[in-house]
Amino acid sequence: MDPLSTAETWAREGRAVALATVVETWGSAPRPVGSHLVIDGDGLFEGSVSGGCVEGAVVSEAADVIETGRPRLLEFGVADETAWRVGLSCGGRIKVFVEKVA
Amino acid sequence: MRLDLLAELNAVRDARRAACIVTELASGDQRLVIEPEASDPFAEKIRNAFASGKSTTAESIDGKAVFLNVHVPSPRLVVLGAVHVSQTLAPMAATLGYEVTVLDPRTAFAAPERFPGVDLVAEWPDVALPRLGLDPFTAFAALTHDPKIDDPGLSAALAAGCFYVGALGSRKTHAARRDRLAATGVKAADFDRIRAPIGLPIGAASPAEIAVSIMAEITAALRKPEIRA
């Protein structure tokens, strides 16, 4: 399923929706710039911004974005501890923009 | 993203047109660009991104980080002529991510047994092409060697602005084609977009090698439109 179509469908159904987009990558990154992950208010998601490594972290950040309505720019990489914790072990770094759909 | 902007973006994508979402990353401010205007500070970057299919970051005049997310339709290949070359060209293009259709009104050629798993249409081009909807993200290769079939297909591909239009045939054949198409109103500037003899000059001998030379030429037209062999 295409994440952008899913985002529109979910929003029209009245669900709270956030859209995450890979905006920058360095080194070996599993998904190219422009890849989308769509998340709803219950944490249900479609699409991907990595090979499954950081989706969990993005989904929890999305909950805040949905609540506040303010976009966030997240960065994951092997160099910082958070990234190790969420496991971007492929050696790359990515920046993910998370915004509310409304 | 505003829902109305998302809906507009999805409608443009459904219509197989290129689109770019310009996002200012700090504020989240966004706009949709379909045809970059000359006054757009990112016009050139967006045009390049449309050609490469690659999204990119940029910086605004006042130093703000901006993300240009391009959405381009998946490329298609329409092959006119269910000939020997097409039997290799069609699966090769599918491997490269193209949606492929092979078209030939001659049912003996357009036999499903010859093209397993390929979208095969046994119709005349003037019947089938309006339905198939050629567009700037479509490559068109005319391979029947029969002017009755190739000519109307080539005219339609040029009119639709296909990013690649190639035709099988020698220089002599192509010169005769120029006269015939001119007589039907095809402008010289449009006619000159036809790649003929088709394919990169790699000394291709077998039908499969000719398919390689055509696919390489199509790839160059898609990824490096400024280069023309």
Side-chain angles (χ1 to χ4, degrees), chain B residues 8 15 49 68 157-158:
Chain B
E8 203 183 337
L68 309 175
L158 292 172

Side-chain angles (χ1 to χ4, degrees), chain A residues 2 4-8 11-12 19 21-24 33-36 71-73 95 97 99-102, chain B residues 1-4 6-11 13-14 23-28 30 55-57 67-69 71:
Chain A
D2 167 59
L4 291 180
S5 306
T6 303
E8 186 181 343
R12 289 200 189 286
L19 181 67
T21 309
V22 179
V23 297
E24 227 169 329
V33 167
S35 301
H36 290 299
R72 278 193 190 178
L73 192 58
K95 253 188 209 175
F97 181 71
E99 63 190 309
K100 188 173 180 173
V101 176
Chain B
M1 191 181 299
R2 293 198 323 270
L3 180 55
D4 60 330
L6 176 62
E8 203 183 337
L9 171 64
N10 282 338
R13 291 165 67 231
D14 283 347
T23 305
E24 199 191 289
L25 291 172
S27 64
Q30 282 169 326
S55 300
T56 183
T57 45
F67 181 55
L68 309 175
N69 202 8
H71 300 268

Side-chain angles (χ1 to χ4, degrees), chain B residues 54-116:
Chain B
K54 288 201 176 95
S55 300
T56 183
T57 45
E59 201 171 278
S60 67
I61 301 158
D62 49 0
K64 289 180 178 143
V66 169
F67 181 55
L68 309 175
N69 202 8
V70 290
H71 300 268
V72 296
S74 59
R76 289 194 304 185
L77 171 63
V78 174
V79 183
L80 182 54
V83 298
H84 200 168
V85 170
S86 314
Q87 287 176 288
T88 304
L89 183 59
M92 193 190 295
T95 305
L96 268 66
Y98 288 71
E99 294 170 33
V100 183
T101 300
V102 175
L103 180 65
D104 199 321
R106 304 166 299 180
T107 49
F109 284 85
E113 299 75 23
R114 288 163 46 78
F115 290 89

Side-chain angles (χ1 to χ4, degrees), chain B residues 114-127:
Chain B
R114 288 163 46 78
F115 290 89
V118 174
D119 178 35
L120 193 61
V121 179
E123 288 174 13
W124 286 87
D126 36 359
V127 175

